[in-house]
Amino acid sequence: MTATWDVPLTEIHMSDEDVAAVMDVYASGWLTMGPRTKEFETALAAFSGVSRAVAVSSGTAALHLACRAAGVGPGDEVIVPALTFLATAHAPRYCGATVVLADATSEHDPNVSVADVERRITPRTRAVIAVDLFGTSADTAALRLLCDRHGLVLIEDMAQAIGARRRDGAPAGSAADLACLSFFSKKQLPLGEGGAVLTGSDERAATVASLRSHAMTSGTWDRHRGHSESYDVVDIGHNYRLDEPRAALGLSRLRHLGDDLAARRHAVARYRARLAGVDGIALVGDDVDVACSSHFAFPVRTDTADLRIALRSELPVRGIQTTRYPVLSALAEYAEHADGSHPSATTFADRHVCLPLWGGIGDDAVDRVCDAVAAVCGA
Ligand SMILES: *Cc1c(COP(=O)(O)O)cnc(C)c1O
């Protein structure tokens, strides 16, 4: 199934129960958003330690609707990390806002610098989007205080961080006004495509739920049940609905997500023990981060860009897939932001490699990757 790699970047194991849960939906004859989506939302909120979850069609849709519920619009600025997946920065721009990129904390800590976010606040700033990169929570306790002081909305991009905790033990997402999950195939809860907005505010949850389905005052499921015979439209909404087969898959997989995250943590601990002494490599974060992260990916820092290039070309030759995140200003669409003011994000981007990681990766595969890394580093 997974192409030609001996050790792919990630792999999905679909249990018989997962498949049966999806097939049940197809047999039921009700496919679009309905009771299973509602049940999935309730389970997601409970899992995440946040009162409300609204399921949507992708993490990008979640970010877009979070920006809309935050009131982001033309003339506003939204501060976004320079080091993230591009969808974080696209979302405010869908609303007509301008993005301002903030640097990473340091060249060894890829999450956004709170001090740099603060420096970039202007009278036009409306919101800050924090990103929990690789599954490790950003400093949302400090960002919450900062946003409160300046009257800003805090959005948390948790696309890589379902089930993560902050270093102080609080659930990721709990300090944000709106937090966004992704269920894209490579994420920890893979549904193919899908996402959700988490919030402690019933009002914001209602706004997101409305905008996800054209801002219509009743849904297809309501009308099917005869609860409402007509509808009105009260805003320019979207079709960002999740469908029932994916909600059912999400419900089924959510039951095993805790085990999957624990298995990822075990693999990361083994990686770190094996790679600790390797010349030219530095581990990212500390033992507290390992305990709190939900381990979307396993990045290692290389001392030089040359070593990153060597690993990225030599590991594939040995059947091992890797990836890396570019700084946004290195992408054509964001080239105007390449003003030299993101040195930490740029250095981290140039000097890291993400190694294979998934819940079912065995010790043998981890050891094989570590041996290959050590061989390239010793060459
Ligand atoms: C995956 C990802 C997204 C987008 O999620 P999709 O479900 O693919 O739309 C947004 N932000 C980050 C940080 C991501 O990793």
Side-chain angles (χ1 to χ4, degrees):
M1 204 177 95
T2 0
T4 54
W5 302 106
D6 295 328
V7 189
L9 202 53
T10 187
E11 213 171 86
I12 299 171
H13 172 72
M14 202 60 68
S15 73
D16 292 346
E17 292 105 82
D18 293 340
V19 175
V22 175
M23 294 316 289
D24 281 352
V25 177
Y26 283 113
S28 82
W30 187 266
L31 301 186
T32 190
M33 195 168 72
R36 285 175 185 84
T37 306
K38 194 142 211 67
E39 211 186 318
F40 180 44
E41 291 173 337
T42 304
L44 264 181
F47 182 87
S48 305
V50 175
S51 66
R52 298 291 305 274
V54 181
V56 294
S57 54
S58 72
T60 305
L63 285 162
H64 183 192
L65 294 189
C67 286
R68 287 203 61 184
V72 171
D76 290 337
E77 292 173 358
V78 175
I79 301 174
V80 169
L83 196 63
T84 181
F85 181 63
L86 51 90
T88 319
H90 277 14
R93 296 177 65 202
Y94 297 153
C95 303
T98 304
V99 293
V100 174
L101 301 186
D103 200 9
T105 300
S106 78
E107 62 172 59
H108 292 278
D109 181 349
N111 271 334
V112 77
S113 159
V114 179
D116 198 48
V117 169
E118 182 162 22
R119 274 193 289 278
R120 292 175 195 268
I121 293 172
T122 74
R124 292 169 61 186
T125 308
R126 161 76 66 164
V128 174
I129 308 184
V131 181
D132 305 321
L133 220 47
F134 308 118
T136 300
S137 176
D139 189 355
T140 54
L143 288 168
R144 177 74 270 167
L145 294 174
L146 182 65
C147 286
D148 286 346
R149 235 184 302 129
H150 293 270
L152 308 178
V153 180
L154 178 60
I155 297 171
E156 189 167 347
D157 180 344
M158 284 179 66
Q160 304 187 355
I162 189 170
R165 295 192 163 267
R166 280 194 332 222
R167 290 177 69 89
D168 62 9
S174 57
D177 296 296
L178 301 128
C180 300
L181 300 174
S182 165
F183 310 127
F184 177 61
S185 295
K186 291 202 298 188
K187 306 286 157 71
Q188 297 96 319
L189 188 70
L191 306 183
E193 304 286 351
V197 177
L198 306 174
T199 178
S201 154
D202 289 347
E203 196 185 328
R204 287 199 166 107
T207 300
V208 171
S210 169
L211 290 173
R212 124 184 103 173
S213 193
H214 303 297
M216 288 162 70
T217 53
S218 76
T220 322
W221 178 244
D222 296 322
R223 293 194 299 281
H224 175 70
R225 287 179 302 167
H227 288 185
S228 127
E229 128 315 297
S230 70
Y231 59 81
D232 199 359
V233 173
V234 294
D235 199 343
I236 305 171
H238 309 266
N239 177 357
Y240 283 165
R241 293 184 297 266
L242 192 72
D243 57 13
E244 293 284 272
R246 286 181 291 167
L249 184 58
L251 263 171
S252 180
R253 293 193 71 94
L254 200 50
R255 292 187 201 108
H256 312 288
L257 182 58
D259 292 343
D260 183 85
L261 299 185
R264 286 169 182 262
R265 197 163 289 121
H266 167 85
V268 165
R270 188 172 183 93
Y271 263 130
R272 292 173 69 94
R274 294 276 327 259
L275 293 175
V278 174
D279 253 5
I281 296 281
L283 300 174
V284 178
D286 61 15
D287 289 347
V288 179
D289 293 317
V290 174
C292 297
S293 175
S294 66
H295 301 290
F296 166 65
F298 179 65
V300 292
R301 267 283 267 116
T302 59
D303 291 349
T304 63
D306 283 349
L307 182 54
R308 181 263 298 173
I309 292 164
L311 286 166
R312 293 271 291 145
S313 63
E314 289 301 316
L315 293 179
V317 173
R318 294 156 201 255
I320 296 164
Q321 190 185 15
T322 67
T323 192
R324 139 185 124 87
Y325 281 75
V327 67
L328 287 184
S329 55
L331 306 174
E333 177 64 19
Y334 289 90
E336 69 191 79
H337 295 269
D339 57 4
S341 73
H342 314 101
S344 295
T346 303
T347 302
F348 188 91
D350 285 345
R351 302 185 192 175
H352 80 279
V353 178
C354 292
L355 301 176
L357 182 66
W358 67 95
I361 191 172
D363 289 351
D364 287 356
V366 170
D367 291 350
R368 181 169 170 179
V369 175
C370 292
D371 290 344
V373 169
V376 175
C377 290

